[in-house]
Amino acid sequence: MAKTLHQYFAVLGLSSSANPEEIRKTFKELAFQYHPDRNPANPWAEEKFKEILEAYSYLTGNLEAIRAMQSQNLRSRSAANRRRQESSHKAE
């Protein structure tokens, strides 16, 4: 489901009247806090990081970053599906 502009601001914990500098500063703080390298083996933090990145990319007009992230997610899912299929074939 597509998010609204208001929801993207809410992901960053900002009001919809936030200026670009506030958006950038808040993004950096949250990205640092939830970055997967700082939270290994924490899938919730990784999902939160992706959400923050998507919101920041949308609010700053960097739609290319969103496409790249979606493409990466598709590749990750494909790889996971292949591993699952390979392991089920080995079990047989």
Side-chain angles (χ1 to χ4, degrees), residues 15-74:
S15 72
S16 56
S17 63
N19 65 44
E21 183 59 30
E22 291 173 308
I23 294 170
R24 186 187 67 76
K25 181 181 177 196
T26 302
F27 165 73
K28 284 184 152 191
E29 291 171 357
L30 292 172
F32 183 76
Q33 180 180 353
Y34 292 104
H35 195 281
D37 290 345
R38 294 185 52 86
N39 298 282
N42 184 344
W44 181 84
E46 183 177 350
E47 287 304 312
K48 182 71 173 169
F49 177 79
K50 289 177 184 178
E51 228 179 88
I52 292 163
L53 179 60
E54 179 183 358
Y56 177 74
S57 297
Y58 183 84
L59 293 173
T60 59
N62 189 354
L63 300 179
E64 191 60 38
I66 294 173
R67 287 187 200 102
M69 187 173 68
Q70 290 170 338
S71 174
Q72 178 63 35
N73 285 342
L74 290 174

Side-chain angles (χ1 to χ4, degrees), residues 78-92:
S78 294
N81 287 338
R82 279 194 303 274
R83 284 192 299 272
R84 207 172 303 121
Q85 288 174 347
E86 288 171 0
S87 65
S88 67
H89 289 298
K90 289 179 184 177
E92 294 173 355

